[in-house]
Amino acid sequence: MSVRGVFQNATSTRTVPAGTTVFNEGESGEEMFGIISGAIELRASGGATFDLRPDDVFGEMALVDSSPRMATAIATQDTELAVIDRRRFLFLVTETPTFALQVMGALAKRLRAQET
């Protein structure tokens, strides 16, 4: 199942114009995001960058362990995001195992990329 499938009927979405900062590294976070359309670039202070496209998720670490944002997220195109708060995140992880696997996959991919 894709993010589009999971968030097809998202009750909370946000339209972000190209060039807009979604969040800054070091900020606290109460929500994560799924990209419905458009593109996001994650920029970490260590120099790592990640280009995210539709079906990708980001900002999940703030919900998993309540840690500050590890990167700055900037829209590189006009972007539509599904916004997931902690309550919705817990519901999706419980009710949609493919969502949980997708979130874990995104975390693993970014962690591996930072180690190289």
Tab-separated table of all heavy atoms in Angstrom, residues 14-65:
chain	number	residue	atom	x	y	z
A	14	ARG	N	-1.872	19.674	3.891
A	14	ARG	CA	-1.276	21.007	3.844
A	14	ARG	C	-0.679	21.197	2.457
A	14	ARG	O	0.060	20.342	1.979
A	14	ARG	CB	-0.192	21.123	4.916
A	14	ARG	CG	0.418	22.505	5.031
A	14	ARG	CD	1.419	22.594	6.177
A	14	ARG	NE	0.773	22.235	7.426
A	14	ARG	CZ	1.425	21.844	8.520
A	14	ARG	NH1	2.727	21.763	8.523
A	14	ARG	NH2	0.771	21.523	9.612
A	15	THR	N	-0.992	22.310	1.832
A	15	THR	CA	-0.397	22.676	0.561
A	15	THR	C	0.778	23.603	0.851
A	15	THR	O	0.626	24.596	1.564
A	15	THR	CB	-1.419	23.369	-0.350
A	15	THR	OG1	-2.518	22.458	-0.557
A	15	THR	CG2	-0.812	23.735	-1.694
A	16	VAL	N	1.947	23.238	0.303
A	16	VAL	CA	3.179	23.968	0.592
A	16	VAL	C	3.780	24.449	-0.727
A	16	VAL	O	4.168	23.624	-1.560
A	16	VAL	CB	4.183	23.046	1.331
A	16	VAL	CG1	5.436	23.813	1.712
A	16	VAL	CG2	3.547	22.421	2.552
A	17	PRO	N	3.862	25.768	-0.941
A	17	PRO	CA	4.465	26.277	-2.175
A	17	PRO	C	5.963	25.963	-2.243
A	17	PRO	O	6.628	25.859	-1.207
A	17	PRO	CB	4.248	27.788	-2.095
A	17	PRO	CG	3.173	27.983	-1.067
A	17	PRO	CD	3.321	26.840	-0.111
A	18	ALA	N	6.487	25.831	-3.453
A	18	ALA	CA	7.921	25.597	-3.646
A	18	ALA	C	8.719	26.666	-2.898
A	18	ALA	O	8.350	27.840	-2.884
A	18	ALA	CB	8.259	25.628	-5.133
A	19	GLY	N	9.797	26.227	-2.240
A	19	GLY	CA	10.658	27.147	-1.499
A	19	GLY	C	10.277	27.326	-0.045
A	19	GLY	O	11.016	27.947	0.724
A	20	THR	N	9.149	26.766	0.365
A	20	THR	CA	8.672	26.911	1.738
A	20	THR	C	9.346	25.890	2.657
A	20	THR	O	9.471	24.718	2.309
A	20	THR	CB	7.143	26.711	1.796
A	20	THR	OG1	6.527	27.678	0.959
A	20	THR	CG2	6.612	26.848	3.212
A	21	THR	N	9.746	26.335	3.832
A	21	THR	CA	10.299	25.437	4.847
A	21	THR	C	9.143	24.826	5.627
A	21	THR	O	8.311	25.545	6.174
A	21	THR	CB	11.241	26.194	5.800
A	21	THR	OG1	12.323	26.730	5.025
A	21	THR	CG2	11.783	25.282	6.886
A	22	VAL	N	9.091	23.505	5.655
A	22	VAL	CA	8.050	22.790	6.393
A	22	VAL	C	8.400	22.760	7.873
A	22	VAL	O	7.555	22.996	8.729
A	22	VAL	CB	7.861	21.357	5.842
A	22	VAL	CG1	6.803	20.594	6.635
A	22	VAL	CG2	7.511	21.393	4.364
A	23	PHE	N	9.667	22.460	8.187
A	23	PHE	CA	10.184	22.557	9.550
A	23	PHE	C	11.697	22.693	9.499
A	23	PHE	O	12.323	22.411	8.477
A	23	PHE	CB	9.761	21.383	10.438
A	23	PHE	CG	10.135	20.011	9.941
A	23	PHE	CD1	11.443	19.545	9.970
A	23	PHE	CD2	9.164	19.155	9.460
A	23	PHE	CE1	11.777	18.285	9.529
A	23	PHE	CE2	9.480	17.879	9.010
A	23	PHE	CZ	10.800	17.445	9.045
A	24	ASN	N	12.268	23.188	10.601
A	24	ASN	CA	13.708	23.401	10.708
A	24	ASN	C	14.348	22.386	11.638
A	24	ASN	O	13.735	21.967	12.633
A	24	ASN	CB	14.002	24.805	11.239
A	24	ASN	CG	13.715	25.870	10.221
A	24	ASN	OD1	14.359	25.940	9.179
A	24	ASN	ND2	12.724	26.712	10.492
A	25	GLU	N	15.581	22.032	11.314
A	25	GLU	CA	16.361	21.144	12.169
A	25	GLU	C	16.408	21.729	13.584
A	25	GLU	O	16.547	22.930	13.762
A	25	GLU	CB	17.779	21.018	11.603
A	25	GLU	CG	18.652	20.059	12.358
A	25	GLU	CD	20.002	19.846	11.689
A	25	GLU	OE1	20.233	20.350	10.574
A	25	GLU	OE2	20.832	19.156	12.302
A	26	GLY	N	16.252	20.870	14.574
A	26	GLY	CA	16.315	21.287	15.966
A	26	GLY	C	14.980	21.649	16.586
A	26	GLY	O	14.854	21.704	17.806
A	27	GLU	N	13.972	21.906	15.761
A	27	GLU	CA	12.641	22.213	16.286
A	27	GLU	C	12.006	20.952	16.870
A	27	GLU	O	12.315	19.837	16.454
A	27	GLU	CB	11.721	22.742	15.182
A	27	GLU	CG	12.097	24.090	14.650
A	27	GLU	CD	11.186	24.551	13.508
A	27	GLU	OE1	10.422	23.748	12.945
A	27	GLU	OE2	11.278	25.731	13.177
A	28	SER	N	11.095	21.157	17.804
A	28	SER	CA	10.313	20.018	18.276
A	28	SER	C	9.212	19.770	17.245
A	28	SER	O	8.884	20.655	16.448
A	28	SER	CB	9.705	20.290	19.648
A	28	SER	OG	8.823	21.389	19.574
A	29	GLY	N	8.682	18.561	17.251
A	29	GLY	CA	7.657	18.237	16.271
A	29	GLY	C	6.546	17.417	16.877
A	29	GLY	O	6.784	16.530	17.689
A	30	GLU	N	5.340	17.692	16.451
A	30	GLU	CA	4.161	16.967	16.916
A	30	GLU	C	3.452	16.254	15.782
A	30	GLU	O	2.376	15.703	15.967
A	30	GLU	CB	3.176	17.950	17.590
A	30	GLU	CG	3.741	18.648	18.803
A	30	GLU	CD	4.033	17.682	19.944
A	30	GLU	OE1	3.255	16.728	20.140
A	30	GLU	OE2	5.058	17.869	20.620
A	31	GLU	N	4.061	16.288	14.576
A	31	GLU	CA	3.426	15.669	13.426
A	31	GLU	C	4.481	15.202	12.444
A	31	GLU	O	5.617	15.663	12.451
A	31	GLU	CB	2.466	16.651	12.750
A	31	GLU	CG	3.104	17.967	12.374
A	31	GLU	CD	2.119	19.088	12.142
A	31	GLU	OE1	0.937	18.973	12.514
A	31	GLU	OE2	2.553	20.101	11.578
A	32	MET	N	4.087	14.225	11.616
A	32	MET	CA	4.917	13.777	10.506
A	32	MET	C	4.106	13.986	9.238
A	32	MET	O	2.943	14.397	9.302
A	32	MET	CB	5.327	12.316	10.678
A	32	MET	CG	4.170	11.335	10.636
A	32	MET	SD	4.685	9.610	10.564
A	32	MET	CE	5.187	9.470	8.862
A	33	PHE	N	4.718	13.702	8.098
A	33	PHE	CA	4.083	14.025	6.832
A	33	PHE	C	4.246	12.894	5.828
A	33	PHE	O	5.263	12.202	5.819
A	33	PHE	CB	4.706	15.294	6.243
A	33	PHE	CG	4.657	16.464	7.178
A	33	PHE	CD1	5.691	16.710	8.060
A	33	PHE	CD2	3.552	17.292	7.210
A	33	PHE	CE1	5.647	17.778	8.947
A	33	PHE	CE2	3.483	18.370	8.089
A	33	PHE	CZ	4.536	18.608	8.955
A	34	GLY	N	3.257	12.756	4.966
A	34	GLY	CA	3.333	11.886	3.799
A	34	GLY	C	3.174	12.764	2.573
A	34	GLY	O	2.307	13.640	2.543
A	35	ILE	N	4.028	12.565	1.581
A	35	ILE	CA	3.963	13.394	0.370
A	35	ILE	C	2.914	12.811	-0.573
A	35	ILE	O	3.039	11.673	-1.031
A	35	ILE	CB	5.330	13.480	-0.327
A	35	ILE	CG1	6.378	14.063	0.630
A	35	ILE	CG2	5.226	14.323	-1.606
A	35	ILE	CD1	7.791	14.063	0.076
A	36	ILE	N	1.881	13.583	-0.830
A	36	ILE	CA	0.822	13.193	-1.761
A	36	ILE	C	1.237	13.581	-3.178
A	36	ILE	O	1.103	12.801	-4.114
A	36	ILE	CB	-0.516	13.850	-1.368
A	36	ILE	CG1	-0.939	13.359	0.028
A	36	ILE	CG2	-1.592	13.557	-2.413
A	36	ILE	CD1	-2.098	14.125	0.633
A	37	SER	N	1.747	14.799	-3.339
A	37	SER	CA	2.269	15.260	-4.632
A	37	SER	C	3.353	16.295	-4.365
A	37	SER	O	3.386	16.910	-3.307
A	37	SER	CB	1.147	15.864	-5.487
A	37	SER	OG	0.631	17.034	-4.873
A	38	GLY	N	4.252	16.467	-5.342
A	38	GLY	CA	5.328	17.436	-5.184
A	38	GLY	C	6.622	16.789	-4.736
A	38	GLY	O	6.849	15.592	-4.955
A	39	ALA	N	7.490	17.581	-4.090
A	39	ALA	CA	8.800	17.091	-3.670
A	39	ALA	C	9.308	17.885	-2.469
A	39	ALA	O	9.051	19.084	-2.354
A	39	ALA	CB	9.806	17.194	-4.814
A	40	ILE	N	10.036	17.183	-1.609
A	40	ILE	CA	10.630	17.765	-0.405
A	40	ILE	C	12.106	17.412	-0.389
A	40	ILE	O	12.488	16.294	-0.734
A	40	ILE	CB	9.961	17.215	0.879
A	40	ILE	CG1	8.495	17.625	0.965
A	40	ILE	CG2	10.737	17.611	2.137
A	40	ILE	CD1	8.249	19.084	1.299
A	41	GLU	N	12.946	18.350	0.041
A	41	GLU	CA	14.352	18.051	0.274
A	41	GLU	C	14.612	18.161	1.770
A	41	GLU	O	14.251	19.157	2.401
A	41	GLU	CB	15.256	19.030	-0.472
A	41	GLU	CG	16.739	18.710	-0.272
A	41	GLU	CD	17.640	19.662	-1.024
A	41	GLU	OE1	17.773	20.820	-0.574
A	41	GLU	OE2	18.198	19.242	-2.049
A	42	LEU	N	15.213	17.110	2.339
A	42	LEU	CA	15.656	17.137	3.726
A	42	LEU	C	17.126	17.510	3.729
A	42	LEU	O	17.928	16.891	3.011
A	42	LEU	CB	15.466	15.768	4.388
A	42	LEU	CG	14.045	15.273	4.557
A	42	LEU	CD1	14.046	13.900	5.231
A	42	LEU	CD2	13.205	16.252	5.363
A	43	ARG	N	17.495	18.501	4.545
A	43	ARG	CA	18.885	18.952	4.645
A	43	ARG	C	19.335	18.851	6.093
A	43	ARG	O	18.804	19.537	6.968
A	43	ARG	CB	19.017	20.402	4.196
A	43	ARG	CG	18.621	20.639	2.768
A	43	ARG	CD	18.701	22.116	2.422
A	43	ARG	NE	18.174	22.357	1.086
A	43	ARG	CZ	17.833	23.553	0.626
A	43	ARG	NH1	17.985	24.618	1.393
A	43	ARG	NH2	17.368	23.680	-0.596
A	44	ALA	N	20.321	17.998	6.344
A	44	ALA	CA	20.868	17.830	7.689
A	44	ALA	C	22.134	18.665	7.832
A	44	ALA	O	22.850	18.894	6.863
A	44	ALA	CB	21.164	16.360	7.954
A	45	SER	N	22.415	19.108	9.052
A	45	SER	CA	23.573	19.973	9.281
A	45	SER	C	24.882	19.279	8.925
A	45	SER	O	25.859	19.933	8.603
A	45	SER	CB	23.606	20.461	10.723
A	45	SER	OG	23.698	19.363	11.603
A	46	GLY	N	24.933	17.956	8.958
A	46	GLY	CA	26.134	17.225	8.591
A	46	GLY	C	26.401	17.207	7.099
A	46	GLY	O	27.395	16.666	6.641
A	47	GLY	N	25.506	17.788	6.314
A	47	GLY	CA	25.690	17.863	4.872
A	47	GLY	C	24.850	16.877	4.079
A	47	GLY	O	24.773	16.974	2.858
A	48	ALA	N	24.241	15.915	4.745
A	48	ALA	CA	23.412	14.936	4.036
A	48	ALA	C	22.138	15.605	3.532
A	48	ALA	O	21.540	16.433	4.214
A	48	ALA	CB	23.063	13.775	4.956
A	49	THR	N	21.755	15.250	2.302
A	49	THR	CA	20.480	15.714	1.755
A	49	THR	C	19.733	14.503	1.203
A	49	THR	O	20.345	13.536	0.744
A	49	THR	CB	20.657	16.754	0.633
A	49	THR	OG1	21.388	16.174	-0.442
A	49	THR	CG2	21.361	18.000	1.137
A	50	PHE	N	18.425	14.579	1.279
A	50	PHE	CA	17.563	13.508	0.794
A	50	PHE	C	16.448	14.130	-0.018
A	50	PHE	O	15.786	15.048	0.456
A	50	PHE	CB	16.967	12.711	1.959
A	50	PHE	CG	18.009	12.115	2.864
A	50	PHE	CD1	18.422	12.798	3.996
A	50	PHE	CD2	18.598	10.899	2.556
A	50	PHE	CE1	19.392	12.262	4.826
A	50	PHE	CE2	19.565	10.362	3.386
A	50	PHE	CZ	19.973	11.043	4.518
A	51	ASP	N	16.256	13.647	-1.236
A	51	ASP	CA	15.175	14.116	-2.102
A	51	ASP	C	14.003	13.159	-1.957
A	51	ASP	O	14.142	11.965	-2.228
A	51	ASP	CB	15.637	14.188	-3.557
A	51	ASP	CG	16.698	15.255	-3.764
A	51	ASP	OD1	16.527	16.358	-3.213
A	51	ASP	OD2	17.691	14.983	-4.457
A	52	LEU	N	12.877	13.683	-1.535
A	52	LEU	CA	11.690	12.868	-1.297
A	52	LEU	C	10.617	13.207	-2.318
A	52	LEU	O	10.442	14.369	-2.699
A	52	LEU	CB	11.171	13.109	0.116
A	52	LEU	CG	12.199	12.938	1.253
A	52	LEU	CD1	11.548	13.230	2.594
A	52	LEU	CD2	12.801	11.551	1.223
A	53	ARG	N	9.882	12.195	-2.712
A	53	ARG	CA	8.854	12.301	-3.745
A	53	ARG	C	7.531	11.744	-3.228
A	53	ARG	O	7.462	11.229	-2.119
A	53	ARG	CB	9.303	11.519	-4.988
A	53	ARG	CG	10.616	11.969	-5.565
A	53	ARG	CD	10.428	13.230	-6.381
A	53	ARG	NE	11.702	13.651	-6.976
A	53	ARG	CZ	12.197	14.857	-6.838
A	53	ARG	NH1	11.572	15.761	-6.138
A	53	ARG	NH2	13.327	15.197	-7.417
A	54	PRO	N	6.479	11.772	-4.052
A	54	PRO	CA	5.203	11.195	-3.624
A	54	PRO	C	5.373	9.766	-3.113
A	54	PRO	O	6.177	9.001	-3.641
A	54	PRO	CB	4.348	11.251	-4.895
A	54	PRO	CG	4.865	12.472	-5.596
A	54	PRO	CD	6.370	12.415	-5.365
A	55	ASP	N	4.643	9.453	-2.075
A	55	ASP	CA	4.653	8.188	-1.344
A	55	ASP	C	5.711	8.154	-0.246
A	55	ASP	O	5.711	7.238	0.560
A	55	ASP	CB	4.828	6.960	-2.240
A	55	ASP	CG	3.555	6.598	-2.983
A	55	ASP	OD1	2.491	7.134	-2.634
A	55	ASP	OD2	3.633	5.775	-3.910
A	56	ASP	N	6.657	9.110	-0.215
A	56	ASP	CA	7.646	9.135	0.865
A	56	ASP	C	7.048	9.781	2.108
A	56	ASP	O	6.120	10.596	2.020
A	56	ASP	CB	8.894	9.919	0.443
A	56	ASP	CG	9.764	9.180	-0.552
A	56	ASP	OD1	9.745	7.927	-0.549
A	56	ASP	OD2	10.480	9.854	-1.320
A	57	VAL	N	7.598	9.399	3.262
A	57	VAL	CA	7.203	9.994	4.537
A	57	VAL	C	8.417	10.660	5.153
A	57	VAL	O	9.556	10.280	4.877
A	57	VAL	CB	6.620	8.940	5.504
A	57	VAL	CG1	5.319	8.371	4.977
A	57	VAL	CG2	7.611	7.825	5.789
A	58	PHE	N	8.178	11.662	6.001
A	58	PHE	CA	9.275	12.325	6.708
A	58	PHE	C	8.741	12.959	7.988
A	58	PHE	O	7.545	13.146	8.154
A	58	PHE	CB	9.982	13.359	5.821
A	58	PHE	CG	9.127	14.533	5.408
A	58	PHE	CD1	9.233	15.743	6.063
A	58	PHE	CD2	8.225	14.442	4.361
A	58	PHE	CE1	8.462	16.837	5.691
A	58	PHE	CE2	7.453	15.514	3.973
A	58	PHE	CZ	7.567	16.725	4.646
A	59	GLY	N	9.679	13.253	8.884
A	59	GLY	CA	9.304	13.841	10.170
A	59	GLY	C	8.865	12.813	11.193
A	59	GLY	O	8.427	13.154	12.284
A	60	GLU	N	9.005	11.527	10.855
A	60	GLU	CA	8.499	10.451	11.708
A	60	GLU	C	9.251	10.315	13.023
A	60	GLU	O	8.683	9.900	14.031
A	60	GLU	CB	8.507	9.119	10.956
A	60	GLU	CG	9.871	8.577	10.584
A	60	GLU	CD	10.525	9.266	9.393
A	60	GLU	OE1	9.815	9.858	8.560
A	60	GLU	OE2	11.759	9.204	9.312
A	61	MET	N	10.531	10.688	13.047
A	61	MET	CA	11.304	10.503	14.280
A	61	MET	C	10.733	11.321	15.438
A	61	MET	O	10.795	10.901	16.583
A	61	MET	CB	12.776	10.840	14.048
A	61	MET	CG	13.471	9.773	13.213
A	61	MET	SD	15.193	10.119	12.875
A	61	MET	CE	15.898	10.000	14.504
A	62	ALA	N	10.164	12.467	15.136
A	62	ALA	CA	9.572	13.298	16.189
A	62	ALA	C	8.423	12.578	16.880
A	62	ALA	O	8.177	12.788	18.062
A	62	ALA	CB	9.090	14.622	15.605
A	63	LEU	N	7.726	11.713	16.153
A	63	LEU	CA	6.623	10.956	16.747
A	63	LEU	C	7.098	9.665	17.386
A	63	LEU	O	6.523	9.208	18.371
A	63	LEU	CB	5.560	10.656	15.694
A	63	LEU	CG	4.855	11.869	15.105
A	63	LEU	CD1	3.800	11.430	14.114
A	63	LEU	CD2	4.254	12.741	16.181
A	64	VAL	N	8.149	9.070	16.829
A	64	VAL	CA	8.640	7.805	17.352
A	64	VAL	C	9.295	7.994	18.718
A	64	VAL	O	9.041	7.243	19.656
A	64	VAL	CB	9.625	7.141	16.358
A	64	VAL	CG1	10.322	5.942	16.977
A	64	VAL	CG2	8.890	6.728	15.088
A	65	ASP	N	10.159	9.028	18.855
A	65	ASP	CA	10.885	9.182	20.123
A	65	ASP	C	10.848	10.598	20.707
A	65	ASP	O	11.612	10.918	21.603
A	65	ASP	CB	12.332	8.714	19.968
A	65	ASP	CG	13.157	9.611	19.048
A	65	ASP	OD1	12.628	10.596	18.501
A	65	ASP	OD2	14.358	9.317	18.885
